[in-house]
Each structure stands twice: as C-alpha cells, then as structure tokens.
Amino acid sequence: MRIMIVGAGSLGLLFGAKLFTVCDHITVVTKTREQAEALRMQGISLDGDKVISTNSNEHNIRFQSYDESVKEDKHPDFLFVMVKQPAIRDEFISYLKDSMSAGTIVVCFQNGIGHEEKLISAVGSDKLLLAVTTEAARKEGLTKVDHTGHGITYLGSLTRKGGPPQASQILLQDLLKTAGIEAEVSNEMEVRIWSKLIMNAVINPLTAILRVRNGELLESPWAMSLMRELYDEAMLVAGAKGIELPDNLWKTLLHVCKATAQNHSSMLQDLMQAKGTEIDSMNGSLLRIAKELKLELAVHQTVYCVVKALE
C-alpha cells in the first residue's frame, strides 16, 4: 500500500508516524523545504519517542516539500489532503492532480465546508473520500508531534449516501485500524461534516479570542453563554438547510471540549504563530449560507469580525 500525505502539520505527522509501520511506502509532503530537510535528517518523533529514525534502513518513507518534484510518487493508492482549507487553491489542486495516477483515491481531512465542491469538480466524486476525525494532536516542532487525544475517523462519500461501502472505503478503514487509528465508514458524511463544523465554529473562535485552552471555556458562565448562542445560531442554519443533526450534539460538543481540555485550538495556535486562521471556512461559511437564506447570525458575525481583526 502506497500513501501520500500532503500537509505535515499535527495530523499529517501523526498519521504519517502511525501508517509508517503498515504501508509499503509513504511520502509526506511539507509546506517548506526547511521542514522536509529536518524530517529527512531527524525522522518523526511521536509522544517523545523516535517513531521513524534516520539511523535504520527505513526506506519506505520519503519526505519532500511542496515545491519539489513528485515524479517518482505518481502512483499512490491513497492521497491524504491534510492541509488547512485556505490552502486548497487552483495551484494546489493542480499539484494534487499531477500527483495522482488512474487508481489514486483522494482523502480530504479538512474542517469547514466548501472545499469538497472544488475537489469533486477537479478529481471527480468517484475519486474523492471525505474524512472527519476527532483525533487530537499538537505539533511541537518541525519533526515532533504529541497525540493529545484519541478519537475516531469517519470515512465516506458526500454523493454516495446509501448502499454497501465501496471497496476503497473498506480498504482504507482496515488500513487505519491496523495502524492503531480507530476508523469507521459512514453513509452520513454530510451530518458528520456539519456536526464538526458547528463544534469548531463554537469552540475555535472563542478560544482564539479569549486566548484560553479548550477546557477553560467550560469554567466561565460568560463563555458558556457565548458558546450556546453560537451553537443555537449554527443549528438554525442547519435546520434551514434541511440537515438533521443529532439531538445530543450540544452534549457532544461539551464532551469534546472537556476531552480536549488541555489543547490549544488550531485557531488559537494560528494566531499565536501570527498565521491566518480558518475562520472563513468555519464561521464565515455559516455566515455566507445564512445570508443566502436571509438569516441573521449576530454572534457569529461578531466573533468573525474579532478574529479577522486579530489576524
């Protein structure tokens, strides 16, 4: 089995370290040559242990940067897209298409909504799987990652909502399980995607604005009040779109916040590192849909503006 992981952030490094032991060959594509060179020299450290060491004959993993040639690896079985949504532009999509062979399946791990339509148009719905993961990881450096929370990865197609799982879905599910990553094929990917979108749109901007860890939101009645208002507004949009979400999603959101209590959200990490955030693909997406539906999301509009100002 040949895997190509495009994006060497926290999840990219985590999945690369886990899958290394069960794949014939893995290519990890980084944003910068600096990180690619560091990984070539040092390997990957997971939870403080050197999982991939450059001192042994581990030739089944290759590190390269986004601007390096991929001619040798144009036949991955699965191509994991693990960059943040704003990176999925026309140039990036061309890069993906150049990296694929006729049998390659693209697996998209992005938060938010909107990117899947671009990728379906580019590679075709039969070549695209969507993934929603609750695995939590924190990147500690160019080559180090901590697995901060175990979760589950749901796999499925947005266009195929019934019938038995496809062979590629079962194959990938089994591969992830063998690597120690809990995985499940789902026929309800729209529900999975919207559920995670709403949880991210509630937790991420508030932790970013307040500069707190996820669990600290639960310690303040004022923060909890804002969380509930953001949640109710998001559910209003989902309902207007005809998307039926679980009745216990609010409880699930609080559980996720508690389970990742010590984590800095990705949006907070981006601001701390003076990077752009995913606010446009999270709260921004909800605001765009709400505008089309002639709905007002006053709290989402406020937190959106504050995060954009902080950017």
Side-chain angles (χ1 to χ4, degrees):
M1 188 63 60
R2 300 178 70 87
I3 302 287
M4 185 174 186
I5 299 174
V6 183
S10 54
L11 285 179
L13 291 178
L14 173 66
F15 275 66
K18 293 280 191 179
L19 287 165
F20 161 73
T21 59
V22 298
C23 292
D24 300 318
H25 183 83
I26 294 182
T27 298
V28 177
V29 182
T30 69
K31 183 178 180 180
T32 65
R33 292 203 176 198
E34 178 189 12
Q35 187 181 13
E37 185 59 29
L39 286 165
R40 283 192 284 260
M41 295 292 292
Q42 302 172 34
I44 298 177
S45 294
L46 175 62
D47 294 331
D49 296 324
K50 188 74 71 174
V51 176
I52 300 172
S53 171
T54 55
N55 295 324
S56 60
N57 295 321
E58 295 167 347
H59 300 301
N60 65 327
I61 190 162
R62 181 182 179 211
F63 303 104
Q64 63 185 52
S65 65
Y66 176 71
D67 60 353
E68 291 178 295
S69 171
V70 295
K71 291 182 179 179
E72 296 178 21
D73 293 308
K74 280 194 176 179
H75 51 284
D77 298 293
F78 292 102
L79 195 162
F80 288 10
V81 180
M82 305 189 90
V83 297
K84 292 184 177 178
Q85 194 191 105
I88 303 180
R89 301 190 178 98
D90 290 344
E91 181 184 2
F92 182 84
I93 290 174
S94 295
Y95 179 86
L96 293 184
K97 292 171 73 173
D98 287 343
S99 303
M100 296 172 63
S101 66
T104 300
I105 300 294
V106 176
V107 188
C108 189
F109 279 82
Q110 277 58 50
N111 293 319
I113 53 177
H115 57 283
E116 68 279 3
E117 295 172 1
K118 291 182 183 179
L119 291 171
I120 287 174
S121 297
V123 305
S125 59
D126 60 324
K127 294 287 187 183
L128 182 69
L129 287 180
L130 300 180
V132 172
T133 186
T134 56
E135 296 286 354
R138 182 174 60 247
K139 184 179 170 186
E140 296 290 357
L142 295 178
T143 66
K144 298 177 181 179
V145 62
D146 286 341
H147 193 181
T148 56
H150 292 270
I152 185 168
T153 299
Y154 295 100
L155 308 164
S157 168
L158 192 60
T159 56
R160 182 185 174 92
K161 299 181 181 179
Q166 296 171 307
S168 59
Q169 296 174 354
I170 296 296
L171 181 62
L172 182 56
Q173 172 190 265
D174 293 345
L175 181 71
L176 291 174
K177 285 185 174 181
T178 303
I181 300 169
E182 186 60 36
E184 179 181 314
V185 174
S186 173
N187 283 327
E188 299 180 331
M189 288 307 294
E190 187 173 49
V191 172
R192 304 287 184 193
I193 289 168
W194 269 82
S195 295
K196 187 169 186 185
L197 168 64
I198 289 175
M199 288 191 282
N200 282 334
V202 171
I203 297 171
N204 281 26
L206 291 182
T207 57
I209 292 167
L210 298 172
R211 292 294 203 272
V212 297
R213 298 176 188 269
N214 293 359
E216 291 178 80
L217 293 177
L218 305 178
E219 299 172 6
S220 164
W222 302 103
M224 286 284 290
S225 178
L226 284 169
M227 289 173 70
R228 186 70 206 203
E229 291 185 57
L230 287 168
Y231 174 83
D232 288 342
E233 287 186 354
M235 291 295 284
L236 182 66
V237 177
K241 288 281 289 183
I243 299 168
E244 296 184 11
L245 297 174
D247 293 335
N248 65 344
L249 184 57
W250 174 247
K251 290 183 178 180
T252 301
L253 187 155
L254 296 180
H255 172 75
V256 168
C257 212
K258 185 176 182 179
T260 61
Q262 296 305 310
N263 286 12
H264 290 118
S265 72
S266 59
M267 194 172 290
L268 174 55
Q269 291 181 58
D270 285 338
L271 288 180
M272 291 169 67
Q273 297 168 24
K275 295 180 180 178
T277 73
E278 293 183 284
I279 191 72
D280 285 298
S281 60
M282 293 178 186
N283 305 74
S285 292
L286 290 171
L287 287 167
R288 285 190 293 274
I289 296 170
K291 185 176 181 179
E292 294 170 4
L293 298 170
K294 296 183 170 31
L295 297 173
E296 286 195 20
L297 308 183
V299 186
H300 279 274
Q301 184 65 54
T302 299
V303 299
Y304 175 84
C305 289
V306 174
V307 172
K308 295 301 285 186
L310 290 170
E311 285 184 341

